[in-house]
Amino acid sequence: MTQLPRPLPRLTGALRAFCSISGNDCDVDYEDLAFKRNLEAKRKANKGLTWKKLHKIIREESKVDRDQVDLALKELFQCAKDIVGSAEVESELLEDGAALLFDTFKECHIVGQKQSVKLRRQFGPFPASSATKACSLVNRLISWLPESVLEDLNTTSTGSGSNPEEFGKNIVFHSVFDNDGDSQITLSDDSSEDEDEAFDLKYTALEKSIEEEKLDASWLKTQVEMYNAGLGLGLSVMDMCSTLFDILASSRTDSELQNELFDLLGFERFELIQSLLENRKSLISATFDKAANIAMSRASVKSKDLNQKPNYGCQVTIQSQEEKQFRKQMRREEKKMMKVESKSNADMEHDEVYMEALGFDPQRLREQREEALIRTASAPLFSSKRGCDVKREKYPYVYDALEEAKQSSAFVGGTKMLLPEGFTRENNKMYEEVTIPASESAPAIIGKKCIPISSLDEIGQLAFKGMKQLNLIQSIVFDTAYKTNENLLISAPTGAGKTNIAMLTVLHELKQHLSQGVIKRDEFKIVYVAPMKALAAEMVRNFGKRLEPLGIQVRELTGDMQLTKTEIMNTQMLVTTPEKWDVVTRKSTGDVALAQIVKLLIIDEVHLLHEDRGSVIECLVARTLRQVESSQTMIRIVGLSATLPNYLDVARFLNVNPYMGLFYFDGRFRPVPLGQTFIGVKAISKMKQFEDINLVCYEKVFEQVKHGEQVMVFVHARNETVRTARILAEHSRNNGESKFFHSESTPRYGEAEKQIMRSRNKPLKELFPDGFGTHHAGMLRQDRNLVERYFSEGLIKVLVCTATLAWGVNLPAHAVIIKGTQLYDAKKGSFVDLGILDVLQIFGRAGRPQFDKTGHGTIISNHDKLSHYLGLITRQNPIESQFVASLTDNLNAEISLGTVTNLEESVKWLSYTYLHVRMRFNPLVYGVTYTQLEEDPELMEHRKDLIIIAARKLDRAKMIRYEERTGYFHATDLGRISSHYYIKYYTVEVINEHLKSLMTEADILAMVSKAQEFDQIKVRDEELDELDQHHLDTCPMVAAGGTENTYGKVNILLQTYISRGNVDAFSLVSDQAYIAQNSARIMRALFEVVLKKGWPIMAGRLLLLSKTIDKRLWAFENPLRQFPILSAEILDKIENKKLTVDKLKDMDAKEIGYMIHHVKMGSRVKKCANEIPELEIEATIQPITRTVLRVKLTIMCQFTWNDKVHGSTEPFWIWVEDPESNHIYHSEYFMMQKKQAVTKEPQYLVFTIPIFEPLPTQYYVRAMSDRWLGSESYCAISFKHLILPERHPPHTELLNLQPLPVTALNNPDIEALYKFTHFNPIQTQIFHTLYHTDCNVLLGAPTGSGKTIAAELAIFKIFRDFPKTKAVYIAPLKALVRERMEDWKLRIQQKLGKKVVELTGDTTPDMRAVGLADLIVTTPEKWDGISRSWQNRNYVQAVTLLIIDEIHLLGEILVKL
């Protein structure tokens, strides 16, 4: 670290009083000063014995082998991990702990009382065995070191307890004016010359040295003028010189300035940058000297002018006392004005001096400044967009005390109200504390009475059964929520009852579908978007229980809870997460029914917009609003949120009418007013921080407990709960305050103690007598129930728990304390700050409505995070959009969905996002200047630029096709797949780079490990040993990159996960869970990518690997391991005997029992072997043309169906592959139903594939189970005896027939449909075949030759001969379908009385209407989806005529028939 320059001595008050030195002459850069102080503090913190220093010294100076030393150091570090705690602990804290152990034991041979007390005070209770082992290791290490090194180590301390040096003890005074012309401003210490010499920015082409030239202050101007012609930066020479001089004169090093100069000047100005950095010191020194000379000459002129002023005689003034006071006041005001004016003049003069020193004419500079001032003066004072602060409009349901204060006359305009009134601040050596008192209660002037439940209708009373009345907030919102369809934004404190407001909107939606006392449950869907899975599960329980009497099904749809289509259709209310609902709505092209019947969308915790996940909420809302606009259907959006700073912006985004649907309630409306304390611990070193946070936490806990209150302490790891509870209990004993934590000895307490002692949870039994308890998700359910019950009864005074308690269980306490704000995030691979959502939820647990008048929330963090949490909680920072970061992926999703097809539509789509709202109100944050905003108020051009950049990226990655000339977007298979599987753009780039038609399993795992989803995962030194061990023991394949690289670590953890290896380090456990979750999704996406590319070998391998991750089972292991009912011992015996599934199927149960030496288990093994899915496939082929082959597959089920194992369906992938060319010609997703499997009824698949001449030897049909390993079937298609039709069949000869009259139809009603009297020649020739036979017909004729009438002839034949059957007419485009519908609705439906139904993506009639139809007009995609399940749909089986219009489109991708 660069050593800081020695600070100059402080000037005392006496020096300031008797010298002509003014404090105002020095312009202090406070940010720079704070940065330097922080550096100095860190330098002092690292001055002691750090682990890195210790590690280096022992390795270099030790007398023994280095491997032996490394082993001892690793063991010592492991001891530190055991004593400090191996949970979510930062590595710096572990290193400080190891250094402290060395310092503690370096002068002793056993762990004595002194050492034990020191460690217990620092870490709380610790394992004695680890301390003993650490002591022996330290002694061993010391024995390996020379005496001289030991002496140096003994003089060094860990720094955590060292006394700071007395200020001013060794100050040496130097005169600041004896430098003989040297600059008084030190840019960098002389000791940094080595760094300057190490700077290696050389350029051999620059032969002439600058030093040969005369380098003075004007040299910079000359250099800039020389290069300015080609810079193209839009800056004048003067502005460029000023900017460069400011950069060069800063206190940063040359290496730090390189990037900034390259950004400013560009890489093509390499020589100029080199010159500036090489001559930096000389240039600054020369400029300062010249500036000093100019300033001195100006000062001498000024003093000369002052001395020449005439002296005036004294004047005598007679005045009254009032006049004297008035004049005194006037002089004070004049002095103030003069100070301000002199400061601004001094700044201007200061700038002029330096610009003159750089070679610019000061007179010319003054003239330019005056011209700029004149231009500014002539411009309007306020622009139309950024005008004066217009008084904010008052909305009827906004109760915002802060906004009301801003509108009052007492508010000082332009200032920022940082903290609420009445706050206190305490600042001591250990920490800074800010306390905000509990807010006053809600204003009584609202005059709204709480609404009794008895006044609601029957539905409302059923849902609110057990409640007497709504609270104040719910009563205010009631009329809008329960009686209108208005979009809502409810911003209220946590715990104010927003869930009941959501229930009111749900009930209003139910009432709209109430007919004759029955709720029509098939007409609507309600979607509740919860931010977390834990909260989603809680909401399902809450809503499900309350809506059950109304017959409403509530189900969870998250990553953990998958629902089938049938279950979704039978559910009226879905509780989901933003990401899951985004995935569902992204796929709505295939199944629009679900998205179309959503009538109410409730978004909980909408203030998450400012977090990384906020872009998902933006995408959902934008998609919903566009759907409302395009389909003209009503979808109500309800946003629930904690108190928002910029609630008006969020209301605009949600399309909320601020006069009707915007409800804002500040902290006064909290059920129990909340006092808040924010504590920032000042210690720099991690060890000292750890100690101080524990001490402060105990102080705050005791402060509450001694007043008889209960406290919940929230920590961020499971085993941190036990450690913190033990530390707090230890402090209470050491301070003699443990009596305050003990409960009274009552019979109830004795009974509770007996219950606790029966538990197998050792820490719980140990802590309960001291009045402490722990609670986390890793505890047994019965233990958690005990803790919750005894805490609510007051038998446990202090409960240390994790945040899951705040989300899942409603267990309030008078006070809550958040101990530390750093928690490990596997998604980011590092420790991150606790999110505002968790903080608000935890603070929501403070205060018991039935007992407390106020609650109290305390948050203890590092000092540098104090202002961050103060700003968040007191809503100082407006919520900004995070949409730009994920714009590329979201644009791809909309293009794949089909809602955005060109540049114009995509720009329009952006206008629905929160990004668009905030860009107009805070443009600078999003890179938009105020000038751009004034010229383009709707930011059309900026939005267009954003879309073009994103579209070009997607086009490069082959996710879309972007035509720059026309602005049209076209989705590709790769883009659709990445959208459906939530694959990021950068991961697709990795896939494009590495994916090949032939790759080994090891290559595939290496490619997946490089996905962008895993970029944030970091490799830590303390994990390397464990990773190496797993690489050797549990990884069957070599992990490319090894343990040192991120992708190598990902690969090892993924293979360890599949092999079911045990991972010890907490960070590795979190990382492994995150890797497994994401790699399964990426592997599935890769499978579909190669399936679309037509690569059979890769498709088989990727499907196998995706099942391998899902089942945590390698392909080389026995498939019977997929059955949990078989023990590991039995499975090992089966593998040792090499008994495959096929062999086991052929053997009987007794044989199997004898083979595995367990006769009773033989039947169970046999049963499991028969339950592994297997299909028997037969193929028949028929050539249609010489290049098109019709294939009919007969599929038989060859396994025993078990509902517990197989569910209701068993999915398979079936494809036809050519082994010679390694290509797939057809692939299909096939569902085997239980009914067909049980009855052994054969299934049929019919499709066409291409064939080429010369004919290949054979094709293979391959069927692989989508879920089961070891389930694969093959069938060969041989072309040995295949006879192809003639090469060029002739065109049908048009016969010279007499035109047939319309009367040949023999039906007056049909004859009346036609205005002509005779059919044309083509219709005449084909009339008999179409109207009197059942032959299949292929009619190829020019456009306008009457093919539609030919189709009608076939339809009329069906109406005549088979009146109870249906005809299906398929047109390739929706426009053609609409054209036919307009014609046939009039002619066939009205005149003939036959029912005609349209079936497209835009309109989906109910199945009853389809069942009654005589003629169905549809598109290929829609009929393809419907006809796949023809066995279960009677109306499909009733079809006797299929007409395919424009069949020449057969070769195109869109037509799937």
Side-chain angles (χ1 to χ4, degrees), residues 1025-1062:
D1025 290 340
E1026 190 176 348
L1027 287 172
D1028 281 328
Q1029 197 63 41
H1030 285 305
H1031 196 190
L1032 291 171
D1033 297 345
T1034 57
C1035 296
M1037 287 174 273
V1038 176
T1043 55
E1044 293 81 12
N1045 294 305
T1046 296
Y1047 61 89
K1049 174 184 173 179
V1050 171
N1051 198 336
I1052 292 167
L1053 286 177
L1054 180 56
Q1055 292 192 54
T1056 306
Y1057 172 81
I1058 297 168
S1059 302
R1060 300 176 187 251
N1062 291 321

